[in-house]
Amino acid sequence: MLIFLLSFSGMVYAQTGNSAWNKSWSATTPQKDAVMSLDLNVKEKKNLNPYNDGALCNGFMSVYVVEPSGRKSLLVTYEFSLTRMEGNIAYLKFVPGRSGMDDGEGACKAILKNGKLQLVGTDQGGKSALFNGLTFK
């Protein structure tokens, strides 16, 4: 009975752990001049990129510039691929999401804490990315 309970609680924890990551996240820059939406799935690669039917990735982000009128215009997109997980940290590499239209590639880590996700650049490309240091809800 004890072995069953430990096994069952381990399965529930593993499922809950992944489901906490796998959802749509959003963030806004402190200046409120850009908003970002991130679809993330650390469990498996999926076709999350609406601009590339053949792309399989663990995450896709759209970054919108917010004009003074409040209108949003798509600025850049990124595809994310999971390289490894360590507890509440996912290490990701990212590339442009739209071929020939977007720039920027690099690496970052996603830190999940208290129901929020923070993206922190781990290389030059990640440190200069628009999402570096932002907290997603």
Side-chain angles (χ1 to χ4, degrees), residues 54 101 108:
M101 295 183 74
C108 64

Side-chain angles (χ1 to χ4, degrees), residues 37-49:
S37 62
L38 169 65
D39 289 322
L40 190 60
N41 188 323
V42 297
K43 185 176 179 183
E44 63 183 324
K45 289 189 174 194
K46 291 186 166 193
N47 184 355
L48 301 172
N49 184 346

